[in-house]
Amino acid sequence: MHPAVHAKTRPERPAYIMAGSGETVTYKELDERSNQGAHLFRSLGLKAGDVIALLLENHPRYFEIAWAAQRAGLYYTCISSKLSAGEVEYIVGDCGAQALITSAGVGPVVDELPALLPGVKLFMVGQTREPYLSFEAARAAFPATPIADETAGTDMLYSSGTTGRPKGIKPPLTGAAIDEPNALVMMAQGLFGFTPDSVYISPAPLYHAAPLRWTMAVQRLGGTVIVMEKFDPETTLALIEKHKADVGQFVPTHFVRMLKLPKEVREKYDVSSMRSAVHAAAPCPIPVKEEMIAWWGPVLNEYYAGSEGNGFCFINSTDWLTHKGSVGRAVTSPLHICGEDGEEVPPRTEGVVYFASEQPLAYHNAPEKVAESTNQHGWTTLGDVGWVDEDGFLYLTDRKSFMIISGGVNIYPQELENLLITHPKVADAAVVGAPDEEMGEKVVAVVQPMEGIEADDDLRAELMAFSRANLSHVKTPKVIDFMEELPRHATGKLYKRLIRDAYWGKKESRIV
């Protein structure tokens, strides 16, 4: 279960294909280039347990660098290409990276970094400018055979920062062989139907945990990854048809945007090759998932988990159709719903979602985050609120940090967001609490209209009436505002903190 194995048995099979350029890298090429990269890292003095950082868009060299680090026993920290120089400086410093690999495609931020990162070895892929060294040229000086002391490294990723400054997640290294058994690969095969012949479509940025880990799992199996440089709904359908993709990982935002294509556009493409459309990262509105299953068939497989790896829930389409709205049953660690006192509550009672995992949380340089996420039983939480039914299926209500308290009533924004996104004139929606003298907080809906729809009082009145017709008055918005585009992470997560802070008069902070 490693690209090195497939380089021997299926050397000419594409390990990945860049969707836009069509550039193809075979398993033989991936193996040789990652071997050279591992030699390069050793020449820089990097030993097992050290850290490198990648600041890249979805670039053809991404996997070559990640696998080089993996087989050299390094941690590889993948950083969002959308961050400011100061935010990159924070992550590089916090994780202790000794080398940074970036590209001119990231933009002007790369020119600010050298002054902020003294002592860090700086490389660029593709077109290079000083003081960066060419990663490809440096790598080419080394042999394409394995280093003598191969050992398994892993990713060290940072939370997306939707509610605050990102935290690094640093799992312990095992010291095992580079092809040691991998739990995600086993789930990819057993739960999601991935095979060595799979063609996997990846529409999301590789710096995020799910796209990075799923694509590398495909390459452990020997499948082919189709890497989209940027998501586009119609292009996604065209790529599925062109490459006969049978598996892929999506977020609900991808589904919404594909469903809102004109019917005649959707019907142009043959997507019948899809056997397993994996989705997670954000709650999927029930009508959206119903429409996707009606369109693609019962191939949607949902999971709920975090980069922290403390728990994993899974549900296939068949079970979902009889438990609509659920994100599944626990697979890896026992699931518990707890009240404010940390004690377990009965089925169908809302509470904080905890997992009784044998794997402790591993937030880097953040013992306070570990402590606040762990209860008296040693169970750990990602901060989500939900409930379980009598069959053990989990239903998420929202994140605890997004709860609105209006007149002493707890209101979770997700329900209203899920409703608004189904309206034909709405492209995206966020619901936050804003200050209110009488009630403490009031419900505010911030809507991104569909292209060509006027953001005016008529639309505001239409959406207000739509909300009141479908939800109790307590949950309906008191204010509806409009934004040209909501601040949403490319993986689908909404930076609700930035929207909420604007209503509370807080200085806007950069998305991290």
Side-chain angles (χ1 to χ4, degrees):
M1 288 190 177
H2 195 274
V5 176
H6 311 306
K8 294 181 177 67
T9 59
R10 309 170 84 184
E12 300 309 315
R13 179 170 174 81
Y16 57 96
I17 300 170
M18 302 303 297
S21 67
E23 180 176 348
T24 300
V25 174
T26 67
Y27 274 100
K28 182 177 185 289
E29 291 168 329
L30 177 58
D31 183 55
E32 292 176 345
R33 294 170 189 175
S34 61
N35 277 326
Q36 290 178 306
H39 280 288
L40 171 59
F41 293 143
R42 284 289 185 267
S43 78
L44 299 175
L46 297 174
K47 60 187 182 303
D50 288 339
V51 186
I52 66 162
L54 288 76
L55 177 66
L56 295 169
E57 73 278 28
N58 280 7
H59 194 281
R61 307 284 77 81
Y62 215 114
F63 291 121
E64 297 167 8
I65 298 165
W67 283 114
Q70 188 273 340
R71 66 196 310 163
L74 304 180
Y75 287 102
Y76 42 101
T77 294
C78 302
I79 303 174
S80 168
S81 59
K82 307 299 183 185
L83 299 190
S84 70
E87 291 155 351
V88 174
E89 177 192 17
Y90 160 71
I91 292 176
V92 171
D94 188 71
C95 74
Q98 294 172 248
L100 171 71
I101 301 148
T102 187
S103 85
V106 172
V109 68
V110 300
D111 295 318
E112 302 176 51
L113 292 174
L116 299 174
L117 302 174
V120 176
K121 301 171 180 69
L122 302 174
F123 293 90
M124 263 192 186
V125 292
Q127 185 179 6
T128 304
R129 55 180 179 265
E130 293 185 349
Y132 292 91
L133 300 176
S134 167
F135 181 80
E136 292 97 328
R139 182 181 68 182
F142 293 94
T145 52
I147 58 175
D149 57 343
E150 282 188 333
T151 182
T154 191
D155 59 60
M156 177 185 176
L157 305 181
Y158 277 69
S159 63
S160 55
T162 52
T163 58
R165 205 165 198 184
K167 299 291 189 296
I169 301 162
K170 190 174 186 179
L173 295 178
T174 63
I178 60 172
D179 60 349
E180 66 176 330
N182 181 288
L184 187 64
V185 175
M186 290 186 279
M187 283 193 286
Q189 289 178 295
L191 293 178
F192 299 103
F194 292 19
T195 75
D197 295 318
S198 283
V199 177
Y200 177 100
I201 186 162
S202 182
L206 293 173
Y207 58 71
H208 191 261
L212 178 73
R213 291 172 180 172
W214 285 113
T215 51
M216 293 182 76
V218 171
Q219 290 167 353
R220 282 184 178 274
L221 285 169
T224 296
V225 177
I226 311 300
V227 181
M228 295 183 69
E229 289 86 349
K230 185 178 181 181
F231 173 75
D232 174 80
E234 185 173 356
T235 301
T236 302
L237 301 177
L239 288 168
I240 292 172
E241 179 180 77
K242 176 182 177 180
H243 295 283
K244 292 184 170 51
D246 62 323
V247 294
Q249 195 261 336
F250 304 87
V251 296
T253 301
H254 295 149
F255 293 154
V256 169
R257 292 179 183 174
M258 287 189 285
L259 286 167
K260 291 201 173 184
L261 289 170
K263 186 178 180 183
E264 61 272 19
V265 173
R266 284 195 277 142
E267 291 180 346
K268 280 169 51 179
Y269 300 100
D270 180 3
V271 294
S272 61
S273 60
M274 286 297 297
R275 295 185 302 100
S276 183
V278 181
H279 74 98
C284 190
I286 289 175
V288 170
K289 190 159 179 176
E290 286 174 332
E291 286 189 69
M292 283 302 302
I293 293 173
W295 177 17
W296 285 16
V299 300
L300 270 67
N301 292 309
E302 184 171 2
Y303 71 91
Y304 164 66
S307 304
E308 293 83 346
N310 62 331
F312 192 99
C313 293
F314 167 80
I315 189 167
N316 60 27
S317 291
T318 302
D319 284 339
W320 186 86
L321 288 169
T322 57
H323 298 80
K324 291 185 179 181
S326 174
V327 295
R329 288 187 283 197
V331 174
T332 59
S333 304
L335 172 69
H336 302 278
I337 306 298
C338 297
E340 292 294 330
D341 60 358
E343 297 299 332
E344 194 161 12
V345 297
R348 299 189 179 273
T349 304
E350 281 187 353
V352 178
V353 181
Y354 281 88
F355 290 101
S357 174
E358 294 182 2
Q359 178 177 312
L361 293 178
Y363 291 117
H364 183 58
N365 290 336
E368 75 289 348
K369 176 68 172 174
V370 175
E372 71 183 36
S373 302
T374 307
N375 70 6
Q376 66 267 33
H377 301 291
W379 304 337
T380 57
T381 182
L382 302 175
D384 293 306
V385 174
W387 54 276
V388 294
D389 64 19
E390 292 78 5
D391 297 322
F393 285 91
L394 172 64
Y395 300 75
L396 295 178
T397 305
D398 212 328
R399 289 193 65 81
K400 187 177 182 181
S401 56
F402 295 155
M403 184 175 70
I404 301 166
I405 304 176
S406 182
V409 177
N410 294 347
I411 301 167
Y412 288 101
Q414 181 183 309
E415 189 174 6
L416 177 54
E417 290 168 350
N418 287 352
L419 173 67
L420 288 170
I421 198 63
T422 66
H423 193 283
K425 295 181 180 179
V426 174
D428 206 351
V431 175
V432 298
D436 183 271
E437 286 188 11
E438 180 183 358
M439 306 298 285
E441 286 185 282
K442 60 187 173 187
V443 178
V444 176
V446 182
V447 169
Q448 175 184 326
M450 290 289 290
E451 188 174 350
I453 299 298
E454 190 71 28
D456 56 18
D457 287 339
D458 287 342
L459 179 59
R460 185 175 282 112
E462 183 177 342
L463 295 178
M464 194 73 78
F466 177 67
S467 301
R468 289 172 178 167
N470 289 278
L471 292 174
S472 69
H473 75 282
V474 174
K475 299 176 182 179
T476 55
K478 301 300 178 283
V479 176
I480 295 179
D481 289 331
F482 299 106
M483 285 183 72
E484 186 175 339
E485 185 172 1
L486 297 188
R488 192 175 282 277
H489 191 284
T491 58
K493 288 187 177 180
L494 182 67
Y495 287 102
K496 200 177 293 186
R497 168 175 55 90
L498 298 183
I499 299 172
R500 186 180 186 277
D501 284 356
Y503 288 95
W504 290 85
K506 296 182 181 179
K507 184 179 179 181
E508 183 175 343
S509 58
R510 283 271 311 177
I511 295 175
V512 294

